Amino acid sequence: MPVPAKKIAVVLAGCGVFDGSEIHEAACTLLNIADQGATYQCFAPNIQQSSTINHNTRMPEPDEFRNVLTEAARIARGQIQSLDKFNPDQFDAVIFPGGQGVAKNLCDFALKGADCKVNADVEQALVSAYEKKIPIGAVCIAPALVARVLGHHGITVTIGNDQKTALEIEKTGARHQNCEAKNICADHLHKIVSTPAYMLASSISEVNEGIRKLVAEVLSLCRE
C-alpha cells in the first residue's frame, strides 16, 4: 500500500509583511510542502489585528480594523480554519511563516521582546505540538515566538544574525545560532527547524531556498 502523504499545519498571522504573514514566505512554504509530496492545512487565530498598515505608504491606518483569520484566508484561498480547531494528533508537523504579524498578532514580541505575551491559541498549538513530538518549523521572526513558548526547554533557533533580536531570544532560555538566509538551523533533539528568510534575505530566491531546506528537514524529522 502507498504511504499516506504527510500532513502539515501552517499557521498564518494575517496577510502582508507589515501587519500579517509575509506573503512570499507563506507562499514558498505552501509550495515547497506540495512540491515535496506533503499536504497542508492553513490555520490562523480568529482575532483582530493589533494594527493595520497601508503597504503602499507603510503608514498605519488607525481607523481600519481587520481580522487575522479573515486576512489569512486571502493567502489560503479560503481553505483555512480557526487555530482553536488545531489538533496535533491530525498532523505530522506544524510550520509558522514569518512577517510582522507574527510579532504583533500571534504575540507582542515587536513591543515587548522576551517579555511578550502569546495568544492563547498560538501557545496551545506550540505546546501541544511539542508535547506530541511533531516537528515545528519557524520562518523569519517566527523563531522568536517559538522561543517565547518553548525556550525553557533549551531549544536552538535562528533569526539570522541580528544581535538585538538574538539577545531577546536567548533571554527566554533558548539558544540562538547565526545562519545565512539560504540555510537552516535544525535542532534535532527538540524537532525544531528555523530559517532566517527576510530577516536576512535580499531576494525571494534566497527565501525560497531556505524554506525549501526547512520543509525538507521538517519532513525528515516526521519520519524519526
Side-chain angles (χ1 to χ4, degrees):
M1 293 180 62
V3 178
K6 299 297 182 184
K7 189 172 183 180
I8 313 300
V10 177
V11 181
L12 301 175
C15 181
V17 58
F18 301 121
D19 57 12
S21 285
E22 209 295 317
I23 296 173
H24 293 177
E25 293 173 0
C28 287
T29 298
L30 301 180
L31 178 60
N32 278 284
I33 290 171
D35 275 354
Q36 295 182 41
T39 64
Y40 59 80
Q41 171 63 56
C42 293
F43 291 90
N46 188 6
I47 57 174
Q48 184 174 299
Q49 289 185 182
S50 66
S51 64
T52 298
I53 305 297
N54 181 320
H55 280 60
N56 185 35
T57 64
R58 301 193 180 190
M59 297 297 293
E61 297 280 3
D63 297 324
E64 186 169 348
F65 304 96
R66 299 191 180 188
N67 178 278
V68 173
L69 177 62
T70 301
E71 291 300 296
R74 296 174 181 270
I75 296 174
R77 295 173 58 87
Q79 299 300 309
I80 194 166
Q81 296 180 17
S82 177
L83 187 57
D84 60 2
K85 301 294 194 296
F86 170 72
N87 180 352
D89 291 328
Q90 298 175 354
F91 293 90
D92 298 289
V94 58
I95 297 177
F96 289 75
Q100 292 186 30
V102 173
K104 292 179 176 180
N105 302 326
L106 304 191
C107 66
D108 55 3
F109 185 89
L111 294 175
K112 299 180 180 178
D115 294 324
C116 68
K117 182 177 180 181
V118 179
N119 170 269
D121 291 334
V122 174
E123 182 168 8
Q124 177 60 31
L126 281 167
V127 170
S128 62
Y130 183 83
E131 290 178 345
K132 292 290 184 179
K133 298 183 178 180
I134 67 172
I136 297 169
V139 178
C140 191
I141 192 60
L145 166 67
V146 176
R148 181 64 181 92
V149 177
L150 301 175
H152 62 283
H153 294 292
I155 66 172
T156 299
V157 296
T158 189
I159 48 80
N161 59 14
D162 183 83
Q163 293 183 354
K164 182 178 178 181
T165 306
L167 179 60
E168 291 301 313
I169 285 173
E170 292 188 335
K171 288 179 182 178
T172 70
R175 300 181 182 90
H176 181 266
Q177 177 178 303
N178 284 353
C179 180
E180 296 179 351
K182 294 190 288 185
N183 288 323
I184 61 172
C185 168
D187 182 341
H188 292 103
L189 177 62
H190 299 101
K191 292 191 173 185
I192 295 173
V193 187
S194 48
T195 190
Y198 276 122
M199 287 293 290
L200 192 56
S202 60
S203 68
I204 190 173
S205 61
E206 289 185 348
V207 167
N208 187 61
E209 180 66 8
I211 291 176
R212 182 188 65 78
K213 292 176 181 177
L214 179 141
V215 171
E217 190 68 22
V218 165
L219 291 174
S220 177
L221 289 171
C222 288
R223 295 186 282 271
E224 291 186 1

